[in-house]
Amino acid sequence: MHLDTTGWKSGEQHQIEIWFVQSNERFYIMSELRQRAHWVQNIIHNPRISFTVNHTTVTGTARIIDQDTEPELTAEISKLMSTKYGWNEGLIVELTCY
């Protein structure tokens, strides 16, 4: 997946390539650096994003999953990431299409 965010300081578009999983028509990504990652900081300041999966680009919003208030979702996404990539340590971010 390619994720596009808007830089919160520069206002410029930033793109990263990142692993993802899908559940219930939503996409989930993880930040190993948690809130220190620049792309996460961009989302905190402006949740509007676009992303490309399988050559299809969509626009939407991103939100950080609160692991304390959403433990079931956290467990589900952690399991999906672990199964697909053998890794599940980080801050979970949910991407929703418009």
Side-chain angles (χ1 to χ4, degrees):
M1 164 186 292
H2 289 110
L3 173 69
D4 294 295
T5 62
T6 302
W8 70 278
K9 289 183 180 179
S10 68
E12 295 181 17
Q13 289 291 82
H14 295 275
Q15 184 177 83
I16 63 166
E17 187 171 341
I18 192 164
W19 292 347
F20 73 96
V21 293
Q22 186 174 3
S23 177
N24 298 325
E25 299 183 25
R26 294 188 180 182
F27 294 86
Y28 296 89
I29 55 181
M30 280 190 160
S31 170
E32 182 176 16
L33 296 177
R34 301 188 177 273
Q35 291 188 3
R36 293 187 317 267
H38 290 190
W39 63 268
V40 174
Q41 293 174 22
N42 291 344
I43 287 169
I44 289 169
H45 288 87
N46 181 358
R48 290 180 294 173
I49 49 93
S50 64
F51 58 97
T52 304
V53 176
N54 298 328
H55 306 289
T56 300
T57 300
V58 296
T59 57
T61 57
R63 74 177 184 99
I64 295 170
I65 300 300
D66 185 329
Q67 297 179 357
D68 293 330
T69 61
E70 299 176 272
E72 296 87 9
L73 180 59
T74 298
E76 175 190 354
I77 301 309
S78 292
K79 183 178 178 183
L80 289 171
M81 288 294 258
S82 182
T83 299
K84 187 172 182 180
Y85 300 110
W87 177 83
N88 66 354
E89 298 294 323
L91 179 76
I92 300 171
V93 177
E94 179 183 77
L95 309 178
T96 304
C97 304
Y98 288 141

